[in-house]
Amino acid sequence: MAVSGVRIEGLDRVVRGLQQVGVEVDDLKDVFQQISQRGARIAAAFAPKQSGRLAGDIRGNRAKSKAVITAGRKSVPYAGPINYGWPKRNIGASGFMQRADRAMRPFALRQLNSGIN
């Protein structure tokens, strides 16, 4: 499975702090869902497309304190080797998840800022 992401240092502390002062952080789930859905679409656009199964398998998950985008599962076990490469099998790294990360950073930061405010 290929998992990649933008990690925002201190976000967990921010979420805990917001909870302590009484802010309803469950509302951030919607922000993280928007981020993960858009990230999944962008990663799918960057994914190599021989059959389209890999791009179709990329999905975003909603959580209270993070947005996770994953590619691959038992039915698509080649997501990791395609993203990271597999030199023994002459498979070059495509880096589609990392490219999606870079493309998502400005949007994710704006969405988080807006959602927290």
Side-chain angles (χ1 to χ4, degrees):
M1 182 183 317
V3 178
S4 188
V6 175
R7 179 141 182 93
I8 299 173
E9 292 295 324
L11 184 58
D12 290 336
R13 284 187 305 237
V14 169
V15 170
R16 280 193 304 276
L18 290 170
Q19 286 175 317
Q20 289 171 351
V21 296
V23 174
E24 189 61 47
V25 293
D26 283 341
D27 294 342
L28 288 178
K29 284 183 181 180
D30 295 335
V31 173
F32 288 118
Q33 182 177 23
Q34 291 171 359
I35 293 169
S36 66
Q37 287 177 344
R38 183 167 178 173
R41 285 192 305 272
I42 290 172
F46 286 137
K49 293 174 189 68
Q50 283 189 341
S51 70
R53 286 184 66 200
L54 174 58
D57 183 67
I58 298 171
R59 61 211 174 277
N61 298 319
R62 175 182 168 167
K64 184 167 58 173
S65 62
K66 61 184 169 183
V68 178
I69 299 138
T70 57
R73 59 179 100 192
K74 191 173 185 176
S75 63
V76 187
Y78 45 83
I82 289 174
N83 185 64
Y84 300 112
W86 192 356
K88 282 186 176 181
R89 305 282 184 178
N90 294 321
I91 299 172
S94 71
F96 65 93
M97 295 292 277
Q98 289 78 4
R99 290 173 60 202
D101 281 347
R102 286 189 297 275
M104 278 297 298
R105 279 188 187 127
F107 172 78
L109 293 174
R110 279 193 311 271
Q111 287 297 105
L112 279 171
N113 190 36
S114 174
I116 289 172
N117 289 333

